[in-house]
Amino acid sequence: MSVAAATALVCALGLSAVPETAYAAPGEPGPTPGGGAGGGTGGGTGDRSLEAVRQEVEGLYRKAESATDAYNLAREKQARQEKSILRIARAVVKAQKEMAGLRKRAGAMARAQYRGGGMPAEARLFLNGDPGDFLDGVTLARKGEKATDGLIGRLARTQVALDRYAESASQEWERLDRSRAKKAAAKKEILRRLARAQRLESRLAKDERERLRRLEEDKARGAQAKWLDTGILRELGGGATAKGGRAVDFAKDQLGKDYVWGAVGPNTYDCSGLTQRAWAAAGRAIPRTSQEQWRLLPKVSVKDMRPGDLIIYFRDASHVGMYVGGGAMIHAPRPGRQVTVAGAGSMPILGVVRPDAR
């Protein structure tokens, strides 16, 4: 797909066309915050101060995204550990019922022996004067011995199983406590950074917040221009698979919806919540977090990516978007922003993964 086709795609989705400066070669003049293209006095020191705010806000949101992955991983681990403890509890109940039945049988055997005067069955056999009864008694005695040995063995094995379950449950509870503590610490860190970033933005006047948005867009356009200047579009061109096309269609339908931390739809999303739901709509279950998506899904070369592939960003794999063709991707950027179309090279690319790789 050509750059013009990508711009047409954005228009077809009901958005404003991406400014051509998004694809300008490095060094070409672009719009300056608070002023027209090509310079002017702009905001002067105010712009530099706003740039410092932008950098700090971006850094806080990036660190919050990293902590979000730690939170999601701890939450998934906690869920697995809770299921494991539940399985252990069910096994314990089953073993306890078996133990109760075995003890009941052992008690019945002891009472039977008591009713026989406390004399072992073997002794009573040798006191029997009838040879036929003696032989029958030997057979019954052997069966009784075997049943007694089997009962004692089952009692011992069941007790060992109960002890093992108790030890496993104790270990799982310790792991669960650690997962809960990690999750709580990660959530606290996330909320602290999000609150800090939101306070910084809330102190800006309305026009400054708009200029901050334009600064973010300028930075993204500059990065995209450098990426396109490598000639990458000449190498891209593979078409989407049927599942990949469905995932892309789902992502397009979410355009304009708000980013909300931890959200997985249907009305709000975070970055990996969007990609996970898009691929779920295509019939493919993928991991919840961008870091797990990067770790577990098949990797492909950037030059070979096709619509539906997931682009993983930053060295810590803390952000993800879906490639939609023409050098563009759809992603949920950050709090205060909406699901949008952006340049695939507008952030540092770690790599590409393909959920429907054969």
Side-chain angles (χ1 to χ4, degrees), residues 165-233:
Y165 290 143
E167 182 179 359
S168 296
S170 176
Q171 292 172 350
E172 285 300 325
W173 274 112
E174 290 176 3
R175 294 189 189 102
L176 180 60
D177 285 340
R178 289 196 294 270
S179 293
R180 284 172 172 163
K182 287 180 180 178
K183 188 178 79 168
K187 185 173 182 178
K188 184 177 180 181
E189 180 67 9
I190 291 162
L191 296 178
R192 186 181 72 82
R193 293 186 186 280
L194 291 178
R196 168 67 178 160
Q198 288 160 0
R199 281 197 303 271
L200 283 170
E201 289 192 270
S202 67
R203 292 171 186 163
L204 299 173
K206 184 177 179 180
D207 64 326
E208 288 178 315
R209 287 197 295 271
E210 181 55 32
R211 284 165 52 209
L212 177 63
R213 180 188 288 272
R214 290 201 300 268
L215 277 174
E216 291 176 355
E217 292 171 353
D218 287 346
K219 182 174 182 293
R221 282 195 292 267
Q224 174 74 354
K226 289 181 180 179
W227 185 67
L228 292 174
D229 195 50
T230 64
I232 187 68
L233 277 185

Side-chain angles (χ1 to χ4, degrees), residues 12-330:
L13 294 173
L15 302 177
S16 297
V18 177
E20 290 186 7
T21 49
Y23 301 103
E28 289 185 9
T32 58
T41 57
T45 304
D47 281 338
R48 287 196 294 275
S49 177
L50 197 59
E51 170 61 15
V53 171
R54 185 200 64 75
Q55 290 180 6
E56 184 171 359
V57 166
E58 181 180 293
L60 287 165
Y61 282 132
R62 282 265 301 104
K63 289 174 182 176
E65 277 191 323
S66 296
T68 295
D69 274 301
Y71 170 84
N72 285 329
L73 288 172
R75 183 177 62 181
E76 289 178 357
K77 187 175 290 186
Q78 177 184 326
R80 289 195 299 269
Q81 287 158 351
E82 287 172 346
K83 288 180 181 178
S84 177
I85 289 170
L86 182 59
R87 285 194 298 269
I88 292 171
R90 287 171 177 162
V92 167
V93 169
K94 182 179 178 181
Q96 285 175 336
K97 287 181 178 178
E98 183 179 4
M99 179 67 83
L102 292 170
R103 283 174 174 165
K104 186 176 180 180
R105 286 175 57 190
M109 293 174 70
R111 287 192 296 273
Q113 184 174 337
Y114 176 77
R115 286 194 296 270
M119 183 182 293
E122 294 84 349
R124 290 199 302 274
L125 273 175
F126 285 106
L127 294 176
N128 192 330
D130 188 312
D133 288 347
F134 177 80
L135 291 174
D136 290 341
V138 168
T139 301
L140 290 172
R142 285 177 177 173
K143 289 181 179 179
E145 284 181 6
K146 188 174 182 180
T148 301
D149 290 343
L151 178 62
I152 293 171
R154 286 182 65 186
L155 277 167
R157 289 193 298 273
T158 304
Q159 185 60 58
V160 169
L162 281 169
D163 292 342
R164 186 173 66 250
Y165 290 143
E167 182 179 359
S168 296
S170 176
Q171 292 172 350
E172 285 300 325
W173 274 112
E174 290 176 3
R175 294 189 189 102
L176 180 60
D177 285 340
R178 289 196 294 270
S179 293
R180 284 172 172 163
K182 287 180 180 178
K183 188 178 79 168
K187 185 173 182 178
K188 184 177 180 181
E189 180 67 9
I190 291 162
L191 296 178
R192 186 181 72 82
R193 293 186 186 280
L194 291 178
R196 168 67 178 160
Q198 288 160 0
R199 281 197 303 271
L200 283 170
E201 289 192 270
S202 67
R203 292 171 186 163
L204 299 173
K206 184 177 179 180
D207 64 326
E208 288 178 315
R209 287 197 295 271
E210 181 55 32
R211 284 165 52 209
L212 177 63
R213 180 188 288 272
R214 290 201 300 268
L215 277 174
E216 291 176 355
E217 292 171 353
D218 287 346
K219 182 174 182 293
R221 282 195 292 267
Q224 174 74 354
K226 289 181 180 179
W227 185 67
L228 292 174
D229 195 50
T230 64
I232 187 68
L233 277 185
R234 290 192 295 272
E235 301 186 56
L236 299 174
T241 61
K243 285 187 177 181
R246 288 197 294 272
V248 169
D249 288 342
F250 180 93
K252 290 176 183 176
D253 289 341
Q254 313 316 305
L255 289 167
K257 293 184 178 181
D258 288 339
Y259 178 111
V260 172
W261 173 73
V264 293
N267 299 316
T268 56
Y269 295 92
D270 64 14
C271 66
S272 56
L274 174 64
T275 53
Q276 184 193 42
R277 284 293 181 252
W279 271 101
R284 174 78 166 90
I286 66 172
R288 168 67 179 91
T289 71
S290 58
Q291 290 177 339
E292 287 294 274
Q293 290 169 7
W294 171 245
R295 188 172 72 87
L296 298 175
L297 295 177
K299 297 175 176 61
V300 297
S301 170
V302 174
K303 66 181 178 60
D304 294 327
M305 69 179 172
R306 65 192 184 198
D309 288 348
L310 305 183
I311 308 174
I312 309 297
Y313 293 98
F314 303 107
R315 292 176 62 183
D316 58 359
S318 58
H319 192 74
V320 59
M322 178 178 291
Y323 185 63
V324 295
M329 60 92 170
I330 291 176

